Amino acid sequence: MIRFHQVSLARGVKPLFENVDLTLNPGDKIGLIGANGAGKSSLFAMLRGELHADQGDIGFPAKWRMAYVAQETPALERAAIEYAIDGDAHLRQLEAALAEAQADSAANGTRIAELHTALADADAYTVRSRGEQLLLGLGFSLEQMERPVASFSGGWRMRLNLAQALMCPSDLLLLDEPTNHLDLDAIIWLEDWLKRYQGTLIIISHDRDFLDGVVNVIVHIDDRKLKRYSGNYSSFERQRSAQLELMAGMIEKQQRQRAHLQSFIDRFKAKATKARQAQSRMKALAKMEELAPLRAAAEFSFEFREPLSAPNPLLVMEKVNAGYRIEGKGSEPDQEKVIVRGIDFSLQSGQRIGLLGVNGAGKSTLIKTVAGEIDPLSGTARLGKGLVIGYFAQHQVEMLRHDESPLWHMTRLAPDVREQELRNFLGSFNFNGTMATSSIAPFSGGEKARLALALIVWQRPNLLLLDEPTNHLDLETREALTMALAQFDGTLVLVSHDRHLLRATTDQFLIVADGKLQPFDGDLDDYKDWLFKTKLAARNDAAAAPSAPLPGKAAAEPEPVVSLADRKEQKRLEAEQRQRMSALKKPIEQRIKRLDEQIAKLNARKADIDARLAHPDIYDAANKEELKTLITDQAYCAKELDQLENEWLEQQEALEQLQA
């Protein structure tokens, strides 16, 4: 159990959390959501012990093993597969101890035998196979696994860090935007892996479909509090919407009450006969707690402007080979690397196409060829008259001038347009005031991506080519992009790992597979099934090949000889030990089970009370007695929960001490 008790935290002068209370149960899979800057990463840092709360405390069992994704990857010459296996630090320690014992001529055989047993318990003899399966699932080939870490780009190094975290045996796994550097096939594989994870999982993610597929609890950071919701992200949205609607009604009722009190005060405060009553109402007005204002109305939204023309067809490709030309060195001739071959493809006005395919299949190469960023290696490509392409590349944010302002970028794009008109346009994308004229260097990734989208919108394209446009975007901006694309009047070709965006904005799919572009007759669920039956199954088969010998252990080394009588005695002693342990653990486990049941019942009862207290009619005079009872019951539940949770922690620690 993870428990936050009266936790407060500020970074600089900005308060992030104030008197937070929250309980998370073992085995929960939790999605942590909130606006950018709300404190999600700071909460992770507190759990990791890198930040300390200004007041209050965070507790979870001391024996829990924690895993998380490192943010930095050193440029090592170490092979990728070995780097991934390094995530199991305990295993690496055992390997090092074994190597040291074997190198020591004075070491006794018992110590070496103990280390071999410990390595077997740590699944050392399957670790390479498990590491290969992880890396294959995350998009690495068997050949890439043997390459040094330093040879990979930043995004691929983050995949290696994710593999390290997944390799680490853990009771608590913290994942901060794990899908940012993954393609759709890797996300589907990771989603399946996390569903089978046995520990407690906390994920920060802006991918609503991924959250829906993995989590069973949402923790929402709002107004410096942590609010727990049961269910996945879609369930949270329904609950949140109902709460906002209820709160709106309560605010309206409170405003009427305040207006009534103020009216009485204004009318009678100068009359001697009514002075006492007026004074009483002034005190009542001062004591009245003002409900928190709703902030949901301030959501970001934008729209694509209507294209100036609509050529049809927009583009025709015949027998096109897409790929790259590699310049020869010295007298060597140039070489062609074909990625997608034999493309026969036309884009008609109004088409909305989602482009599917596993990592490395050639989706980005195809998009770049359509956009004119690279020339076809062969074949012909004809563009329609009046074609205006809006192209968002995977690394579009990096193409911006980080030392310049949003207004500079707009002026460069539209030098003849009045500055005020450009400022108004930037304001519609939330670049207001000094933000429009400030350098974008300190902007967040999401703000830079929003600027890149604004530049595309200004050009009024009739063909949008979007290659992973949601990287760096938060949930609110993703939803705004989804709504804008759904209403876009032009033609759309979209590559995205965001399944919600694909479902909401496209109506047909093409797939790049085995070096070809072809129609995909199905939806995203069919694509997921296809992945598991073909590509991901093939990866698992590849990883099942015989693995190399365990590092530090000679392949032909004989195992220590143990006599039959010794093995029987050892088994008898182990059986007796298991019986003694079971006798000691059983009453504790029964008590923990009983406590879990009591806590669940009290939480359900408290939720019913909270829901009733949140209903406006409970505060009517006719319900005065019921209100008193509910408030008393609420206080009782809170007190009982506190006592039960404390006992649960004590029992859990006692059980862990026995197991240790």
Side-chain angles (χ1 to χ4, degrees):
M1 181 183 292
I2 302 173
R3 188 176 177 208
F4 291 73
H5 178 65
Q6 290 294 292
V7 171
S8 294
L9 177 72
R11 301 303 303 272
V13 297
K14 181 182 179 181
L16 294 178
F17 304 111
E18 289 183 355
N19 301 322
V20 166
D21 288 307
L22 179 71
T23 298
L24 302 173
N25 299 317
D28 278 350
K29 290 184 169 64
I30 302 123
L32 181 62
I33 65 171
N36 285 342
K40 300 186 292 294
S41 296
S42 295
L43 188 147
F44 268 24
M46 286 195 292
L47 287 170
R48 294 194 299 262
E50 297 167 5
L51 269 182
H52 298 286
D54 298 327
Q55 70 176 47
D57 58 84
I58 303 173
F60 54 86
K63 298 295 183 182
W64 271 16
R65 299 161 297 176
M66 184 189 301
Y68 54 89
V69 179
Q71 295 304 304
E72 300 294 333
T73 316
L76 302 173
E77 291 305 313
R78 190 165 179 76
I81 181 66
E82 297 299 331
Y83 181 79
I85 294 172
D86 288 344
D88 192 341
H90 175 63
L91 174 65
R92 289 305 198 199
Q93 290 168 0
L94 291 173
E95 289 176 354
L98 178 61
E100 184 180 342
Q102 289 175 331
D104 183 0
S105 58
N108 61 49
T110 303
R111 172 61 177 158
I112 293 176
E114 288 173 348
L115 286 169
H116 277 300
T117 301
L119 281 166
D121 290 342
D123 293 328
Y125 304 108
T126 63
V127 69
R128 188 174 181 89
S129 174
R130 289 186 285 115
E132 288 173 348
Q133 287 182 20
L134 277 177
L135 290 180
L136 286 166
L138 292 173
F140 292 84
S141 66
L142 288 172
E143 179 273 327
Q144 285 177 311
M145 293 180 201
E146 303 303 328
R147 284 171 44 191
V149 173
S151 67
F152 292 98
S153 65
W156 284 94
R157 290 189 195 181
M158 289 307 297
R159 293 192 191 206
L160 287 174
N161 286 351
L162 175 58
Q164 267 199 349
L166 301 184
M167 279 298 299
C168 177
S170 61
D171 304 291
L172 174 60
L173 178 58
L174 307 178
L175 297 180
D176 190 348
E177 295 291 358
T179 63
N180 263 5
H181 301 280
L182 303 183
D183 290 336
L184 182 54
D185 53 313
I187 290 174
I188 289 172
W189 174 89
L190 178 62
E191 183 179 305
D192 183 66
W193 192 96
L194 292 175
K195 284 178 182 176
R196 292 180 278 112
Y197 176 67
Q198 296 297 308
T200 302
L201 172 68
I202 308 181
I203 305 176
I204 298 171
S205 178
H206 296 308
D207 186 332
R208 57 182 298 153
D209 267 45
F210 181 71
L211 289 173
D212 273 351
V214 174
V215 307
N216 56 17
V217 173
I218 291 289
V219 172
H220 183 214
I221 304 177
D222 184 44
D223 196 25
R224 298 183 290 280
K225 301 291 185 185
L226 298 180
K227 175 73 173 175
R228 176 190 169 115
Y229 295 82
S230 295
N232 59 17
Y233 184 79
S234 294
S235 174
F236 155 76
E237 277 199 319
R238 291 191 293 270
Q239 294 175 66
R240 177 74 171 155
S241 176
Q243 286 182 356
L244 289 174
E245 188 175 342
L246 178 61
M247 183 64 75
M250 292 177 68
I251 289 174
E252 184 181 350
K253 181 176 180 179
Q254 188 186 71
Q255 288 172 339
R256 288 198 305 269
Q257 291 173 335
R258 291 174 68 88
H260 178 73
L261 287 171
Q262 190 65 53
S263 174
F264 184 93
I265 293 165
D266 292 341
R267 280 187 294 136
F268 298 116
K269 64 183 178 182
K271 294 186 178 182
T273 55
K274 296 287 186 180
R276 182 174 295 175
Q277 293 94 324
Q279 199 72 23
S280 172
R281 281 160 176 75
M282 287 174 72
K283 289 179 181 178
L285 184 61
K287 287 180 180 179
M288 185 178 286
E289 180 184 357
E290 190 165 357
L291 294 170
L294 296 175
R295 291 175 301 284
E299 292 177 352
F300 168 66
S301 64
F302 72 97
E303 60 184 24
F304 286 92
R305 303 195 295 178
E306 184 180 356
L308 296 174
S309 62
N312 198 24
L314 288 89
L315 171 141
V316 176
M317 287 184 166
E318 294 177 346
K319 297 182 173 55
V320 166
N321 284 349
Y324 300 90
R325 286 189 173 87
I326 304 170
E327 292 185 8
K329 296 180 180 179
S331 60
E332 294 179 4
D334 292 352
Q335 294 183 343
E336 293 183 349
K337 184 177 181 181
V338 179
I339 308 296
V340 188
R341 65 179 66 253
I343 301 170
D344 288 311
F345 173 58
S346 66
L347 267 176
Q348 308 298 319
S349 180
Q351 281 187 296
R352 312 179 70 81
I353 296 169
L355 198 57
L356 304 176
V358 299
N359 175 58
K363 301 185 298 295
S364 293
T365 302
L366 176 62
I367 288 278
K368 287 178 182 177
T369 306
V370 174
E373 292 287 306
I374 55 176
D375 295 325
L377 297 178
S378 62
T380 59
R382 297 191 302 274
L383 306 182
K385 187 177 180 180
L387 176 65
V388 180
I389 295 176
Y391 173 48
F392 189 104
Q394 271 197 50
H395 306 291
Q396 192 76 22
V397 166
E398 297 167 16
M399 300 177 191
L400 299 171
R401 279 281 300 271
H402 287 200
D403 57 335
E404 298 291 353
S405 67
L407 185 60
W408 180 90
H409 285 84
M410 288 298 303
T411 304
R412 187 165 172 264
L413 191 64
D416 300 327
V417 178
R418 288 186 308 112
E419 180 180 314
Q420 189 57 50
E421 185 177 345
L422 297 179
R423 282 177 174 271
N424 292 343
F425 178 76
L426 286 169
S428 69
F429 282 83
N430 282 0
F431 296 109
N432 300 302
T434 57
M435 197 174 183
T437 55
S438 301
S439 163
I440 71 169
F443 285 13
S444 69
E447 288 166 337
K448 292 171 185 173
R450 203 164 69 232
L451 174 59
L453 282 171
L455 298 176
I456 290 172
V457 170
W458 176 266
Q459 298 172 66
R460 303 181 74 165
N462 44 38
L463 171 58
L464 278 176
L465 304 173
L466 305 182
D467 189 357
E468 298 292 1
T470 60
N471 285 352
H472 308 294
L473 297 183
D474 59 19
L475 277 162
E476 181 182 299
T477 311
R478 286 186 185 210
E479 197 59 34
L481 175 62
T482 302
M483 295 297 293
L485 287 176
Q487 299 170 41
F488 175 57
D489 288 334
T491 303
L492 171 67
V493 179
L494 173 65
V495 176
S496 179
H497 62 244
D498 189 319
R499 284 162 287 176
H500 172 67
L501 179 66
L502 283 167
R503 284 193 185 96
T505 61
T506 63
D507 51 28
Q508 68 179 105
F509 292 112
L510 298 178
I511 187 168
V512 181
D514 303 321
K516 297 178 182 178
L517 175 69
Q518 49 199 331
F520 184 81
D521 186 17
D523 57 19
L524 287 175
D525 292 329
D526 297 320
Y527 178 65
K528 181 177 179 179
D529 292 340
W530 175 81
L531 277 175
F532 277 111
K533 289 175 183 176
T534 56
K535 300 300 180 182
L536 296 181
R539 291 178 185 179
N540 290 335
D541 291 342
S547 59
L550 181 69
K553 177 181 176 182
E557 182 186 48
E559 293 293 331
V561 177
V562 182
S563 71
L564 182 60
D566 287 342
R567 282 201 296 268
K568 284 185 176 179
E569 178 63 14
Q570 185 177 356
K571 286 183 178 179
R572 186 185 67 79
L573 292 173
E574 287 174 353
E576 288 181 357
Q577 177 63 18
R578 284 195 298 271
Q579 288 174 357
R580 285 196 297 271
M581 182 62 70
S582 177
L584 291 170
K585 286 166 56 178
K586 189 173 182 180
I588 299 177
E589 289 173 338
Q590 287 177 339
R591 181 56 183 158
I592 288 174
K593 182 180 179 182
R594 177 62 180 154
L595 286 169
D596 280 334
E597 292 170 354
Q598 290 177 294
I599 289 171
K601 286 180 180 178
L602 272 174
N603 273 324
R605 183 178 171 188
K606 187 173 182 296
D608 290 341
I609 293 170
D610 291 344
R612 181 63 181 130
L613 285 172
H615 204 280
D617 68 7
I618 192 63
Y619 300 98
D620 294 341
N623 297 320
K624 184 177 179 181
E625 290 305 317
E626 184 187 356
L627 177 61
K628 283 183 181 179
T629 302
L630 286 171
I631 292 172
T632 303
D633 288 350
Q634 185 186 51
Y636 168 79
C637 286
K639 183 180 178 182
E640 284 293 300
L641 276 171
D642 187 60
Q643 292 174 351
L644 290 172
E645 287 165 359
N646 282 332
E647 186 182 351
W648 188 96
L649 283 170
E650 291 169 1
Q651 296 289 342
Q652 192 72 29
E653 287 173 2
L655 183 61
E656 288 171 356
Q657 287 172 2
L658 274 178
Q659 291 169 336

